[in-house]
């Protein structure tokens, strides 16, 4: 058997493209994308246009050769499928923009209205599609013609256009049992259109077939057949990807196979499916240069190092899921940083460049970051580790790990900063105590507040507070705001930047935006949970700093008192007039309680500016002797 990859092309309605326009278009696109020509592949392109018109003699519908998996097996298969599809999605990159109707009309092009889509699918040649959907005999005739061309074993790549995508989905469960579909790429598919429903197909493909590696559906923004809805509305496990080829000379042109196959993203995806990753030949060119890390880069390295330390503590299924998520997060983080740095004409530091890998290659090793930051001050470590502990650094994935695992990872991270391992444990304990104080309960586990801070950060950024809170010691305002503009306040990078800037955020009141920001934190746009998460972060940092005798920012007290003033005034104003059970009044009462508890803790622990200092605790040995010795000790002092 030939070692060449096998491409099965399934055409749509019409005459079956006897001139091979689809092949010529794909050949040109593959060449432009740097892939070999189709001469290096075995191309199977059965023509069945005549079979769609009617049938001569009855034929049996090919039997389904692949049965449904057991529940547990289907779960594992779907997880593996998602891992492969996520790698392909990362390789494909961002979707094209939708066309803008006003601009399109202004340029003389006609936008795709529902009426246009209806008119196109009602054209005479689309009757072939109706024949396939309505007649089991025609369906059997088409499937049998295709199966007669398909090899009995081996790996194939399916590229299917228009009605061909309906045929391909129907074919998936009828292939020879020794055939594996390395990839299925559909273009211009009408499968999600209500007119193209095939009996039982959706129910049969609730989960991805075990012999299918991945499925990507491309939708042209100008295609009246495909643009109404993505195929993921019918098969949620596949990937929909929008492209924009621009308008054609008539409404049908953007639907043609040659237009789709001329698009660079479509061609590159088919090229990858056929010939594999180009990185094996041109290998990750940019490994970075030896320069100091800025704030965003430093926090990315910190977050990835923490993730790897957590992963090293895990085992079994949790480790497998965590590793799959970490591969995705690390690939995306390096890619995002590279794109961000390029936009500001900054090279990628080598410490991060070496963490890049071919995510699309399942066998590629995941590089592990090093974080040798010996000599980090306790003050900086308090900010960094509190930010890590408060943030889901694996975002957008959510995988719960035990407190012991988190503690071990934070202890190791503290050690790599040149601090005692206990410092890492104290970070978790400070977070737990902070949330316990705000909820008046000491039996709580530290809950990550990073997701809550993302919403709060949008408000703080809008008033200029977040850049000011970062301060010159961490990063200039321009660096912080530029990074957040690229990464947003969520995700690993944005989340760590946000949490790091908000820790001990007394500087948030600096500048003209401080008052507006406080009003927003106290107002309706900030929920009770968001305010609690924001204050918990402040309080956790205060507790940790106090425990390790690090100076506490007096601005935290001022920030909390300003919030208290705004919340109390609004609460009193509404409470006197509104209904007794009004939701807004209850919300303000909860906010008032939360900020009050935080201020009470600060006051009771000698952190109120101008207030009495908290007395030094007595030595343990003296405590054990009993209370009668205390007066003598005090006189001796």
């Amino acid at each position: 058997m030939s070692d060449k990859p096998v491409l099965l092309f399934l055409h749509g309605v019409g005459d079956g493209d006897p001139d091979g326009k689809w092949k010529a278009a794909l050949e040109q696109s593959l060449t432009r994308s740097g892939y070999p020509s189709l001469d290096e592949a075995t191309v199977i392109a059965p023509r069945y246009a005549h079979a769609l018109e009617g049938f001569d003699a009855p034929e049996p519908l090919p039997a389904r050769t692949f049965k449904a998996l057991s529940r547990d097996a289907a779960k594992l298969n779907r997880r593996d499928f998602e891992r492969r599809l996520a790698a392909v999605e990362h390789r494909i990159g961002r979707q094209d923009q939708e066309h803008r109707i006003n601009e399109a009309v202004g340029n003389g092009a006609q936008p795709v209205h529902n009426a246009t889509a209806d008119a196109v699918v009602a054209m005479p040649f689309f009757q072939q599609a109706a024949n396939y959907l309505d007649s089991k005999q025609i369906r059997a005739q088409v499937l049998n013609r295709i199966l007669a061309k398909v090899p009995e074993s081996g790996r194939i790549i399916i590229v299917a256009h228009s009605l061909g995508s309906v045929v391909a989905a129907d074919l998936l469960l009828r292939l020879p049992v020794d055939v594996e579909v390395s990839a299925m790429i559909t273009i211009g598919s009408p499968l999600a259109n209500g007119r193209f429903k095939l009996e039982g197909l959706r129910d049969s493909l609730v989960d991805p077939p075990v012999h299918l590696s991945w499925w990507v559906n491309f939708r042209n923004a100008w295609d009246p057949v495909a643009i109404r809805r993505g195929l993921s509305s019918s098969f949620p496990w596949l990937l929909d990807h929008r492209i924009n080829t621009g308008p054609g000379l008539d409404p049908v042109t953007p639907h043609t196979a040659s237009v789709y196959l001329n698009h660079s993203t479509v061609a590159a995806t088919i090229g990858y499916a056929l010939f594999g990753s180009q990185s094996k030949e041109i290998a990750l060119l940019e490994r970075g240069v030896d320069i100091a890390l800025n704030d965003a880069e430093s926090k990315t390295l910190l977050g990835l190092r923490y993730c790897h330390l957590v992963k090293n503590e895990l085992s079994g299924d949790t480790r497998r899921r965590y590793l799959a998520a970490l591969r995705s997060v690390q690939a995306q983080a390096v890619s995002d940083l590279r794109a961000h740095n390029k936009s500001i004409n900054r090279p990628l530091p080598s410490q991060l460049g070496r963490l890049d890998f071919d995510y699309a290659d399942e066998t590629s090793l995941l590089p592990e970051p090093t974080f040798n930051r010996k000599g980090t001050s306790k003050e900086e470590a308090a900010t960094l580790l509190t930010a890590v502990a408060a943030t889901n650094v694996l975002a957008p994935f959510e995988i719960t790990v035990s407190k012991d695992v988190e503690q071990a990872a934070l202890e190791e991270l503290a050690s790599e900063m040149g601090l005692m391992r206990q410092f890492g444990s104290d970070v978790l304990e400070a977070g737990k105590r902070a949330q316990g104080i705000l909820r008046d309960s000491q039996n709580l586990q530290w809950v990550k507040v990073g997701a809550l801070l993302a919403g709060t950060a949008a408000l703080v950024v809008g008033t200029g507070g977040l850049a000011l809170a970062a301060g010159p010691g961490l990063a200039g305002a321009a660096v912080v705001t530029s990074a957040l503009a690229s990464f947003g306040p969520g995700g690993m990078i944005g989340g760590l930047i946000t949490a790091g800037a908000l820790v001990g955020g007394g500087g948030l009141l600096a500048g003209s935006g401080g008052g507006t920001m406080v009003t927003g934190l106290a107002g309706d746009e900030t929920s009770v949970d968001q305010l609690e998460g924001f204050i918990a972060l402040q309080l956790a940092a205060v507790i940790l700093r106090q425990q390790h005798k690090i100076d506490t920012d007096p601005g935290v007290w001022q920030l909390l008192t300003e919030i208290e003033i705004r919340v109390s005034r609004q609460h009193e104003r509404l409470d006197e007039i509104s209904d007794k059970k009004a939701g807004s009044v209850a919300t303000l009462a909860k906010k008032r309680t939360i900020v009050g508890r935080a201020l009470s803790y600060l006051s009771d622990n000698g952190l109120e500016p101008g207030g009495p200092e908290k007395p030094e605790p007595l030595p343990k040995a003296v405590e054990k002797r009993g209370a009668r010795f205390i007066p003598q000790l005090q006189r001796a002092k």
Side-chain angles (χ1 to χ4, degrees):
M1 179 179 289
S2 171
D3 291 333
K4 290 183 177 181
V6 177
L7 169 63
L8 173 64
F9 179 77
L10 301 179
H11 66 75
V13 296
D15 59 5
D17 191 8
D19 298 328
K21 293 178 182 177
W22 74 268
K23 189 175 181 181
L26 181 56
E27 285 269 15
Q28 293 174 5
S29 294
L30 287 173
T31 301
R32 287 197 304 268
S33 299
Y35 283 99
S37 73
L38 290 179
D39 291 338
E40 301 301 319
T42 299
V43 179
I44 303 172
R47 291 174 57 193
Y48 40 85
H50 178 71
L52 289 167
E53 299 292 343
F55 62 94
D56 299 322
E59 296 183 27
L61 195 65
R64 290 185 174 174
T65 51
F66 291 88
K67 308 300 181 183
L69 299 172
S70 67
R71 183 176 178 180
D72 289 343
K75 184 177 180 180
L76 289 174
N77 176 59
R78 189 156 186 166
R79 184 183 299 171
D80 288 341
F81 183 90
E82 172 55 35
R83 174 175 48 79
R84 295 189 297 268
L85 189 65
V88 174
E89 182 179 25
H90 176 77
R91 169 174 290 278
I92 292 173
R94 296 180 179 178
Q95 304 192 45
D96 290 353
Q97 294 296 312
E98 290 276 16
H99 65 77
R100 297 180 181 178
I101 288 179
N102 291 336
E103 290 181 5
V105 173
N107 291 329
Q110 296 299 314
V112 180
H113 291 302
N114 285 338
T116 307
D118 290 338
V120 169
V121 297
M123 289 180 174
F125 56 79
F126 272 96
Q127 180 61 39
Q128 293 177 337
N131 292 343
Y132 184 84
L133 297 170
D134 299 337
S135 171
K136 283 190 177 180
Q137 291 299 326
I138 289 179
R139 205 171 142 204
Q141 188 170 247
V142 170
L143 290 171
N144 284 324
R145 286 197 178 194
I146 295 170
L147 286 170
K149 302 287 186 180
V150 173
E152 287 296 319
S153 63
R155 298 168 67 88
I156 65 172
I157 293 92
I158 299 176
V159 176
H161 171 244
S162 191
L163 177 63
S165 68
V166 181
V167 177
D170 199 11
L171 183 72
L172 268 179
L173 299 179
R174 306 176 194 277
L175 289 167
V177 292
D178 292 326
V179 168
E180 186 175 342
V181 182
S182 301
M184 188 152 94
I185 298 148
T186 50
I187 53 179
S189 176
L191 261 172
N193 190 310
R195 294 182 181 222
F196 292 85
K197 288 183 179 178
L198 191 61
E199 181 183 359
L201 188 59
R202 294 187 186 187
D203 293 338
S204 302
L205 292 174
V206 171
D207 290 307
V210 69
H211 60 294
L212 174 64
S213 293
W214 49 268
W215 179 355
V216 176
N217 176 58
F218 288 100
R219 306 160 60 227
N220 187 353
W222 290 90
D223 182 352
V225 175
I227 199 54
R228 274 185 170 175
R229 201 172 184 187
L231 296 196
S232 55
S233 62
S234 299
F235 313 107
W237 40 268
L238 62 73
L239 173 65
D240 276 311
H241 189 92
R242 185 183 62 249
I243 63 172
N244 189 337
T245 63
L249 297 176
D250 57 65
V252 177
T253 300
H255 175 66
T256 58
S258 57
V259 167
Y260 272 96
L261 297 173
N262 261 318
H263 193 278
S264 59
T265 303
V266 177
T269 304
I270 296 173
Y272 168 67
L274 287 169
F275 305 113
S277 174
Q278 287 178 301
S279 64
K280 293 176 182 176
E281 290 78 37
I282 60 177
L284 303 173
L285 295 177
E286 186 187 348
R287 284 295 185 178
V289 296
D290 292 325
I291 56 174
L293 303 181
N294 64 23
D295 187 58
E297 295 158 351
S298 180
K299 285 188 169 65
T300 301
L301 189 64
L302 173 73
L304 290 175
R305 180 58 181 158
Y306 173 76
C307 285
H308 278 266
L309 291 172
V310 169
K311 177 256 299 176
N312 293 342
E313 295 291 327
L314 299 175
S315 60
D317 183 64
T318 303
R319 179 186 172 91
R320 285 191 291 272
R321 291 189 296 117
Y322 198 95
L323 178 59
L326 179 53
R327 286 177 67 89
S328 175
V329 168
Q330 182 162 319
Q332 192 63 52
V334 176
S335 175
D336 287 348
L337 272 176
R338 178 173 279 121
H340 170 69
N341 283 14
K342 185 177 180 180
S343 71
I344 59 175
N345 296 317
R346 174 181 169 82
L348 187 71
S350 57
Q351 287 176 271
L352 290 161
R354 62 173 293 274
L355 300 182
D356 205 357
F357 66 104
D358 185 5
Y359 180 47
D361 181 0
E362 297 179 46
T363 64
S364 62
L365 296 177
L366 179 66
E368 187 160 333
T370 56
F371 193 76
N372 189 355
R373 290 282 298 274
K374 301 292 185 183
T376 302
S377 68
K378 280 191 174 183
E379 182 174 6
E380 184 182 2
T383 297
L384 294 174
L385 294 181
T386 300
V388 168
T391 305
N392 174 20
V393 289
L394 204 62
F397 303 96
E398 294 186 29
I399 299 177
T400 302
V401 300
S402 69
K403 179 187 174 183
D404 290 342
V405 168
E406 285 192 85
Q407 182 173 318
L410 283 169
E411 286 178 351
E412 181 61 29
L413 209 52
S415 175
E416 292 178 0
M417 291 180 173
L419 302 172
M420 298 292 291
R421 300 178 69 88
Q422 182 63 37
F423 195 92
S425 299
D426 292 343
V427 170
L428 274 182
E429 187 60 30
K432 176 185 173 183
R433 283 187 62 196
Q435 289 182 335
I437 291 163
L438 298 183
R439 299 181 186 180
D440 196 24
S441 171
Q442 297 306 312
N443 296 316
L444 292 174
Q445 294 296 324
W446 171 232
V447 177
K448 294 185 182 296
V449 298
L452 299 173
L453 296 175
T456 308
L459 168 69
V460 180
V461 170
T463 59
L466 190 58
L468 292 165
L474 290 176
V479 174
V480 174
T481 52
S482 171
L484 285 175
S486 294
F487 308 120
M492 186 190 75
I493 302 176
L496 286 172
I497 293 172
T498 298
L502 292 179
V503 171
L508 289 168
L509 281 176
S512 58
T516 305
M517 185 271 298
V518 168
T519 301
L521 287 171
D524 295 339
E525 54 266 57
T526 304
S527 69
V528 173
D529 287 342
Q530 286 176 324
L531 183 65
E532 182 183 342
F534 175 78
I535 294 178
L537 194 63
Q538 309 298 316
L539 201 55
V542 166
I543 292 169
L544 183 66
R545 287 169 178 270
Q546 187 180 38
Q547 181 179 357
H548 287 271
K549 302 187 184 304
I550 305 168
D551 290 341
T552 301
D553 182 1
V556 174
W557 174 272
Q558 184 186 359
L559 173 64
L560 295 178
T561 55
E562 288 294 329
I563 294 174
E564 181 186 47
I565 290 169
R566 305 295 174 92
V567 171
S568 298
R569 175 66 193 111
Q570 185 73 344
H571 181 233
E572 292 295 331
R573 187 171 72 88
L574 298 186
D575 188 37
E576 290 302 316
I577 301 174
S578 300
D579 293 340
K580 293 300 181 184
K581 294 184 179 181
S584 58
V585 174
T587 295
L588 287 166
K590 290 177 182 177
K591 288 184 176 182
R592 197 171 178 177
T593 298
I594 289 169
V595 71
R597 285 171 177 165
L599 285 167
S600 293
Y601 175 85
L602 295 180
S603 181
D604 293 345
N605 285 271
L607 297 173
E608 176 183 350
E613 294 185 5
K614 182 180 180 181
E616 289 288 332
L618 294 174
K620 294 287 185 182
V622 174
E623 282 187 300
K624 292 180 180 179
R625 294 176 192 167
R628 67 180 182 278
F629 290 101
I630 293 177
Q632 298 176 22
L633 176 66
Q634 290 175 335
R635 286 196 297 272
K637 285 185 176 181

